[in-house]
Amino acid sequence: MGGFLVLFGGITTLISVFTFLFGILRLIFISDDKKKSLKIILYSVIAFVIGFGTCSANFSLNGMH
């Protein structure tokens, strides 16, 4: 179960980084709808924190710690 959670957290973290970059680019180039761009950035930061926390809490070095 721990391996699945590490994989899920890692994928969530990776997707949130791409979403954050998309939100930044949208904020810069599409100036009509800044509220939606800021929501995308905020949600991607929240997803990053959740994904990173899940990944790091369940990560194991196979008896090295």
Side-chain angles (χ1 to χ4, degrees):
M1 184 70 178
F4 171 73
L5 290 175
V6 170
L7 180 65
F8 179 73
I11 290 172
T12 304
T13 303
L14 186 66
I15 290 172
S16 68
V17 169
F18 289 127
T19 308
F20 179 79
L21 293 174
F22 172 74
I24 292 292
L25 291 174
R26 184 173 158 52
L27 185 66
I28 292 171
F29 293 116
I30 301 175
S31 60
D32 295 340
D33 195 12
K34 290 188 180 197
K35 279 189 171 184
K36 187 176 267 187
S37 299
L38 291 174
K39 284 182 185 179
I40 291 172
I41 293 169
L42 177 66
Y43 293 152
S44 69
V45 169
I46 292 170
F48 179 81
V49 169
I50 291 171
F52 184 76
T54 302
C55 187
S56 64
N58 293 299
F59 187 73
S60 175
L61 294 175
N62 294 328
M64 293 185 75
H65 68 288

